[in-house]
Amino acid sequence: MKNVIKEVFWSNEPLGRQLAARLFWGFVIIHCLLWIVIPSVVTNSLPRFDSYETATLTNEWIMGSCKHPAFSFWHLKLCFILFGQSVTTFYFASQCWTVLGLWSLWRLSRHFVSERMSLLVVLATATYRYYNMGVLNFTPSSPTTALTCLGIYLFFLALKYNKIYYWIFIGIALAAGMQCKYSSAIDAFTMLAFMVCVKQARRYWKCPGPYLTIGTTILLCLPYLYFLYQHDFEPVGYMENVVASQQNFAVNFQSAAKFFASQIALFLPIGIALIPLTGWLWEVRIIRKNDDAIDNPHKVPAVAILSQVQETKEERPQKESKFERCFLSFMIFFPLAIYLGILLIGGGHFRTAYGAPLWPLYGLWLVTALHAKPGIRPVRQSAILSLLILLTCLASYAGCYMYSFNFSKKMSSINYPAQAIGRVTTRLWNNYSLPPDACLSGNWRLVAPAYFFMDQTPVPLVYYCDQNELSNPRTKPVAYCAGDDDLNVNGGLILWTVPDDGPRDFVPDWLLKRYPAAHIGDENFSIPYRTRQQKDTPSILMRYAVVFPVTVTRDGPGEE
């Protein structure tokens, strides 16, 4: 590996396109395999509860949930059909979007910088949270990040070559992004604003391309719009809860400042990896070597000095036009300005993940900005620093699972005993001989992991619960595929947890109201968290109830 880095990032010879392509695909394959194998072997579990929620929503070909459209669910379900429902398949599905995002970035970078610098941009961007550790938590944000990068790449090609098929592909990418997360509409608005604000781009309104993009996007989104109409636009209510109208500018400004501060943590690893390109510290050290060579030429080899100081013609990027610099800056900072403007005017709270699609181009923007200035560019140091950050991410992920409890005495979502919950639920399901169309309901922190690791495939009714009031579920499940009436007729299991300060025979108030025919089980299950430390490991106390399926007889409905 060291020799490859030395040959690619320190050599004065130009880097060929075929060699660069082989190096890119070699790095991407190794990067993705590591993030598939290590989580599967070390934890053999999904990283967060959001992951179990996403996996649970793949039980049917639904059009959407009460929060998000269903494109990411369809992709995950397709992977489960092809390779089987497992932890490894889940991580494989997430890495598919990493490959797409890095490929789009690499292809776009080759239009701005040399082959060698394009590889450096990919290497540095791989340190981005949503291209390594963050993408393990497969949620609608994972495809959105990759599809945004793909859409921007296609948009650049459409502006450069004005080919009809590029404009159509843009519409497909935008529609796919909006079928993952509503915030992807900001990408479409950014492209529209660019074509209105930038003079060179306004000429394309005289061509059919932009109208084909708009038509393709609307056409592909029509089925989901009809789905929203059928369900009274309920997901819009979720967005209204995220963006809550506030009249206090000080509160709104605080929300915007918190969101911007959270974004710094996202692009900071990319900036750290590319610090050597600034010449800071490295330039001082090189100048000192050069001075020593002048005073003592026999102590410092001249070849070493030249390889550090001189830049070859291939490493010098062509002078960018104002249009290209404007393009990169606009694609990054205009969406950020929209998010901050929404928070300043409307208030509310945006999670860090909302900014995930903003920063995949930050490494390319930074490289082009630094390379436009004359001076020493120690590319090799940036490549090594990027690899060190990537290895640190891998080590920190494994260490978080193995040793976090030793220091914090708190269990993370990685340590959640999902497999044990699945085994207990499978045993209960078999003991009561429940039919295949029976349902699984209750606390979503129990139902979603149990559904993923069960041997059977019941119909899940996953309800959201407040973490402090685990017995207070919402009135509607997260998907529109089934409801409480189905469970009361087809039978099923209901799971809930006993609060730490509650009695061991705790029964939530909602149980008999929603499921009047439920039979409460006598047995409690104490399920310890998964950790390498055997002593003082906290446990989850789980209870259950069973509803037997209703059969139709001559005397009317009755229980089996």
Side-chain angles (χ1 to χ4, degrees):
M1 179 64 69
K2 183 178 179 181
N3 292 333
V4 173
I5 295 174
K6 184 176 181 180
E7 181 180 352
V8 175
F9 294 107
W10 199 356
S11 174
N12 290 329
E13 296 296 328
L15 192 62
R17 293 177 65 88
Q18 293 184 353
L19 176 60
R22 290 197 295 268
L23 291 171
F24 167 78
W25 287 112
F27 166 75
V28 168
I29 291 173
I30 294 174
H31 176 74
C32 293
L33 283 178
L34 287 175
W35 282 109
I36 293 174
V37 174
I38 289 180
S40 301
V41 173
V42 173
T43 65
N44 196 22
S45 180
L46 303 190
R48 295 184 62 181
F49 293 109
D50 291 346
S51 304
Y52 290 108
E53 173 196 334
T54 304
T56 303
L57 291 174
T58 63
N59 69 303
E60 292 185 18
W61 292 100
I62 59 175
M63 286 296 297
S65 71
C66 65
K67 294 198 303 182
H68 301 296
F71 185 79
S72 56
F73 310 144
W74 298 344
H75 169 250
L76 187 58
K77 183 175 179 63
L78 182 61
C79 291
F80 285 161
I81 292 175
L82 294 176
F83 307 109
Q85 182 168 305
S86 66
V87 173
T88 303
T89 304
F90 184 90
Y91 290 132
F92 169 79
S94 66
Q95 293 304 318
C96 290
W97 299 107
T98 300
V99 173
L100 178 62
L102 291 178
W103 177 83
S104 304
L105 175 66
W106 174 60
R107 298 286 295 186
L108 179 64
S109 301
R110 297 167 83 182
H111 291 274
F112 289 84
V113 293
S114 65
E115 295 288 345
R116 182 173 280 108
M117 295 307 298
S118 298
L119 291 176
L120 179 63
V121 169
V122 171
L123 197 60
T125 307
T127 64
Y128 184 50
R129 174 182 172 183
Y130 288 97
Y131 282 151
N132 50 68
M133 190 183 301
V135 79
L136 295 181
N137 182 30
F138 184 78
T139 63
S141 298
S142 304
T144 303
T145 304
L147 289 170
T148 297
C149 198
L150 175 63
I152 293 175
Y153 168 57
L154 293 172
F155 185 48
F156 178 81
L157 293 180
L159 294 175
K160 186 174 183 179
Y161 301 111
N162 194 25
K163 299 292 185 180
I164 294 296
Y165 51 85
Y166 286 139
W167 293 104
I168 295 176
F169 288 154
I170 294 171
I172 296 174
L174 290 176
M178 285 186 273
Q179 293 289 317
C180 292
K181 207 166 186 178
Y182 303 112
S183 58
S184 293
I186 293 180
D187 300 333
F189 184 74
T190 300
M191 296 179 186
L192 180 64
F194 184 82
M195 296 192 65
V196 171
C197 299
V198 179
K199 181 179 179 181
Q200 294 92 324
R202 284 199 293 267
R203 60 179 179 174
Y204 291 103
W205 289 112
K206 301 177 181 179
C207 305
Y211 306 101
L212 286 174
T213 298
I214 296 172
T216 303
T217 305
I218 295 176
L219 181 64
L220 294 178
C221 290
L222 279 178
Y224 185 70
L225 293 175
Y226 179 69
F227 166 79
L228 291 178
Y229 172 76
Q230 284 183 312
H231 294 87
D232 300 325
F233 294 90
E234 183 182 346
V236 178
Y238 170 76
M239 294 301 298
E240 290 177 352
N241 294 331
V242 174
V243 184
S245 180
Q246 297 285 345
Q247 301 298 327
N248 191 336
F249 180 78
V251 176
N252 295 351
F253 181 81
Q254 186 178 11
S255 299
K258 287 182 179 179
F259 175 74
F260 181 76
S262 69
Q263 299 307 296
I264 296 177
L266 292 184
F267 64 77
L268 187 61
I270 303 176
I272 293 176
L274 296 177
I275 279 180
L277 295 186
T278 63
W280 181 60
L281 293 183
W282 281 268
E283 185 175 9
V284 174
R285 179 173 61 84
I286 293 169
I287 290 175
R288 187 173 64 250
K289 277 189 174 182
N290 196 22
D291 292 341
D292 292 341
I294 295 174
D295 298 335
N296 303 292
H298 61 281
K299 293 185 179 181
V300 182
V303 177
I305 300 172
L306 292 176
S307 62
Q308 287 278 356
V309 177
Q310 290 186 348
E311 288 188 61
T312 65
K313 183 178 180 181
E314 189 269 340
E315 284 297 338
R316 298 179 187 271
Q318 296 179 357
K319 189 176 181 180
E320 308 160 63
S321 66
K322 182 179 180 181
F323 176 80
E324 292 174 336
R325 292 196 297 269
C326 176
F327 178 83
L328 287 178
S329 301
F330 202 95
M331 293 296 114
I332 297 174
F333 298 108
F334 186 81
L336 178 63
I338 293 177
Y339 280 114
L340 296 178
I342 292 174
L343 292 174
L344 287 173
I345 298 173
H349 173 72
F350 286 162
R351 295 188 299 171
T352 305
Y354 279 74
L358 298 177
W359 306 110
L361 300 182
Y362 175 71
L364 176 59
W365 177 83
L366 196 59
V367 166
T368 54
L370 292 175
H371 247 60
K373 299 179 180 180
I376 300 167
R377 299 288 170 253
V379 179
R380 183 175 66 98
Q381 285 82 347
S382 287
I384 294 175
L385 195 55
S386 300
L387 291 175
L388 289 176
I389 295 174
L390 290 174
L391 292 176
T392 302
C393 291
L394 285 167
S396 61
Y397 176 82
C400 179
Y401 166 70
M402 294 190 219
Y403 305 108
S404 61
F405 182 74
N406 298 43
F407 300 97
S408 64
K409 300 301 178 183
K410 295 181 181 179
M411 291 289 104
S412 64
S413 54
I414 299 178
N415 304 106
Y416 196 74
Q419 291 177 315
I421 294 172
R423 289 192 296 268
V424 170
T425 310
T426 297
R427 180 161 62 86
L428 291 173
W429 197 274
N430 293 332
N431 290 343
Y432 289 104
S433 301
L434 293 172
D437 58 347
C439 301
L440 184 66
S441 183
N443 186 305
W444 76 287
R445 286 176 177 256
L446 296 175
V447 174
Y451 170 78
F452 187 83
F453 286 104
M454 283 180 67
D455 294 337
Q456 301 83 2
T457 54
V459 178
L461 304 179
V462 183
Y463 289 80
Y464 289 111
C465 303
D466 185 78
Q467 295 182 5
N468 298 322
E469 298 178 4
L470 298 179
S471 62
N472 183 26
R474 278 187 175 183
T475 57
K476 288 188 178 182
V478 298
Y480 302 104
C481 51
D484 291 339
D485 294 338
D486 298 279
L487 191 146
N488 287 321
V489 173
N490 300 326
L493 283 176
I494 305 101
L495 309 177
W496 68 90
T497 55
V498 177
D500 295 336
D501 55 351
R504 294 183 64 86
D505 59 349
F506 168 78
V507 177
D509 297 335
W510 51 264
L511 180 65
L512 295 179
K513 293 179 181 179
R514 287 167 46 195
Y515 310 114
H519 300 272
I520 299 174
D522 298 329
E523 187 178 3
N524 290 3
F525 298 94
S526 180
I527 306 174
Y529 279 83
R530 303 168 65 241
T531 177
R532 295 173 64 90
Q533 182 171 330
Q534 302 299 325
K535 297 181 179 179
D536 302 326
T537 301
S539 301
I540 296 172
L541 189 61
M542 185 182 82
R543 297 202 70 194
Y544 74 96
V546 60
V547 175
F548 295 100
V550 175
T551 58
V552 178
T553 64
R554 292 182 179 180
D555 299 329
E559 292 186 358
E560 286 186 349

